[in-house]
Amino acid sequence: WCLWCASNHDLATRGAVRWSELKTHALITSDDEFEHRMASALGGVQCMDGLLPTHAVGNVMTALGLAAAGLGVMVAPSHVQS
């Protein structure tokens, strides 16, 4: 998984971020099923406890744009960073 955020965001220079650290940041997702999709993708790992999306948009490019504009952070599969 990778984290998308504005280049001047507090988390931008970090090599790794814990799931629990995301609770204090606005989370942007590209769909309403984020929590269920993440739990399934992570094999039921309980990383999502208390982590709720602030913005759920219908398009991944919109979510990336909001993150780039500094309105929050987005978590995406690592292949999205290529």
Side-chain angles (χ1 to χ4, degrees), residues 24-40:
T24 60
H25 299 276
L27 180 64
I28 302 165
T29 64
S30 59
D31 62 46
D32 292 328
E33 297 295 319
F34 174 78
E35 187 172 355
H36 299 290
R37 195 167 36 87
M38 288 294 292
S40 174

Side-chain angles (χ1 to χ4, degrees), residues 28-33 55-64 66:
I28 302 165
T29 64
S30 59
D31 62 46
D32 292 328
E33 297 295 319
H55 308 287
V57 297
N59 183 291
V60 68
M61 293 305 292
T62 302
L64 291 169
L66 291 172

Side-chain angles (χ1 to χ4, degrees), residues 1-80:
W1 294 93
C2 64
L3 180 73
W4 286 85
C5 60
S7 59
N8 63 347
H9 192 279
D10 294 341
L11 302 176
T13 59
R14 303 267 305 274
V17 177
R18 295 178 187 197
W19 290 104
S20 60
E21 294 178 87
L22 296 179
K23 292 178 186 178
T24 60
H25 299 276
L27 180 64
I28 302 165
T29 64
S30 59
D31 62 46
D32 292 328
E33 297 295 319
F34 174 78
E35 187 172 355
H36 299 290
R37 195 167 36 87
M38 288 294 292
S40 174
L42 296 172
V45 173
Q46 295 297 321
C47 67
M48 303 303 300
D49 184 38
L51 184 60
L52 299 173
T54 305
H55 308 287
V57 297
N59 183 291
V60 68
M61 293 305 292
T62 302
L64 291 169
L66 291 172
L71 298 174
V73 298
M74 179 188 172
V75 177
S78 57
H79 69 270
V80 173

